[in-house]
Amino acid sequence: MADEKKMVGEVYYPAPEVVAHAHIRDYEKVHADASADLAKFWGKVAAENYEWFQPWEQTLDDDNAPFYKWFKGAKVNIVHNALDRHMRTAVRNKAALIFEGEPGDTKVYTYQQLHYQVSKFASVLRAMGVQKGDRVTIYMGRIPELIIAMLACAKIGAIHSVVYGGFSTEALHERIDDSQSKVLITCDGAWLRGTIIELKKIANEAVDRSGTIQSVICVKRTGMDVEMVQGRDYWYHDLMALPIADPTAPTQVMDAEDPLFILYTSGTTGKPKAILHTHGGYMVWTSTTLKWVFDIKPEDVWWCAADPGWITGHSYIVYAPLILGATSVMYEGAPTYPYPDRWWSLIAKYGVTILYTAPTAIRGLMRFGESWPNKHDLSTLRLLGSVGEPINPEAWRWYHRVIGKEKCPIMDTWWQTETGGFMITPLPCVPLKPGSATRAFPGVDIDVVDEDGHPVAANEEGFLVIKSPWPGMLRTIFGDPDRYVQQYWSRFAEQGWYLPGDSAKKDEDGYIWVIGRIDDVIKVSGYRLGTAEIESALVSHSAVAEAAVIGVPDELRGNIIKAYCILRQGWEGSEKLEHMLKDHVAHEMGPIAKPSTIEFVDNLPKTRSGKIMRRILKARVMGQDVGDLSTLAD
Ligand code: WT7
């Protein structure tokens, strides 16, 4: 029920009809129930909503914390719950996926059709020698075959590693090598803004650099000419036409704790980390969070406008909606192609009821004015969502007024690749404050603390911490369990808390306001990039001796990248070199990592131990006080 007590600041109380419709109508009660006994609460949810081949012996095993186990001893497969079980009910004939390509082509998959394709491709992968536990890298545009490939891997117990299609050669190569994938699934090209991103070409370059890939499977999307290597590369459609592509392929029985996928994300230092999620806990977490936060009902048309190549897409385009038997929309291309109303036209065309996107997209579309959305019938919308970075109140109000017509609550969901699903988020029954992700999801124990772990006073900045385990939590960093402990569990080791790496405030009403990263991670248009990765892309150019990269606030993209380079002898800074270096980063890492400006410098501020002090560079750009300089070398 709407909170009776008067709250501080700009508050939007939920409409009674929204609350009456919702799965969860009393946040306080559910949160209290869950928090009182996590194992009992999640055990009940897990038993009532999914099919397990064998039940668990223990709901939560914390003996070897922080290596927590959920649903220990259970047998399950997430694909059985996302597809197979629906074949016995009316969901079978329902649209699972409504796909629209950028050029305007469309395709609808019912649950049965998706199950058919996934089963066939699963048996193709099996026939090619992919076994349970093997890693398969997937590097594709936003097309249905990407989802089919992910589900086919999961069905046979292979671990998928999706690399976002906006990444480029070196980023892909590094991720292939780290995961030791034997098979790469890609496509000829992807449509974006009316042009083709040549994915197969990039994939070829990456595979040439890597030593592990034995086979490449290529989906034909654009029909462009591509180089296929004999004996290594196969067309997807050729394989799917063979008798080995068996639509009755069985689903592998997995342990609840067996790995489902790895997904690389940027961290504080060095190479990206392979975040590992499992079949059991991730299944329960993603689908329960989606159901409760976005109030998913059979009649909904859900559109998560993210890319399946990021965790948002893994959880909320692929797994959670399918587990819930929902209908999802996926659009291949740019929101502004051919005109800035493409998204709004899709909402009207498919009768989308819930839209989930990122603040950067909202700000980008806001620029074009209200007349574009106003040309379309958006009246089917009933809920809106935001993710990826803090949403500025102006963008929130625009989204609420112009898109949601002041009747759609906005679910501002805070979470991470590591958390698997939503952690701080409103539910439809919770009063909203623009810019705040509001309260913890039921059963999540969140706080904002100081250096010593003491809760900070209201409206003071501190470390965000998560104080208890949850089913969707990452289990480890693939291949590097020490780094898992070090990265997430060492800062507050004594208390046993998880450190997400964000700073935040908590207001008088207990609402959380996430401020941003406390480490060297930069959020550019909601994409998470590590300074270390961009710096090493710069240094891999023969002109650059040393590089430092910082994020500078930007109205549209949240942050933009500014780079500082020390050149090698014989090179001189020029506009031409600046362009060359930007293109080099785009070629190695991907266009999203391209610096907006590069400044050529003679030295960089460093600590005596040689660590670059990026905060000094940042303070200078921002015209702020540089703070404590006692550790600076010169
Ligand atoms: C980081 C995680 C979770 C899917 C997309 C990003 C920032 C995410 C919010 C939000 C403020 C947010 C945090 C977090 N972030 N959502 N609603 N409000 N900040 O996943 O790439 O793993 O990035 O994104 O800084 O730590 P990711």
Side-chain angles (χ1 to χ4, degrees), residues 311-312 388-390 412-417 502 517 523 528:
I311 191 68
T312 313
E389 54 180 327
D412 177 357
T413 60
W414 178 93
W415 58 297
Q416 312 180 290
T417 307
D502 279 15
R517 301 289 310 186
K523 279 267 167 171
R528 177 166 160 183

Side-chain angles (χ1 to χ4, degrees), residues 8 23 81 86 110 135 139 159 162 197 232 241 266 271 313 413 467-468 500 530 587:
V8 179
H23 286 290
N81 284 279
H86 299 317
T110 64
R135 276 79 60 206
Y139 177 66
I159 303 170
V162 180
I197 315 283
R232 186 196 73 184
S266 302
K271 56 178 190 156
T413 60
K467 296 181 168 179
S468 54
H587 181 264

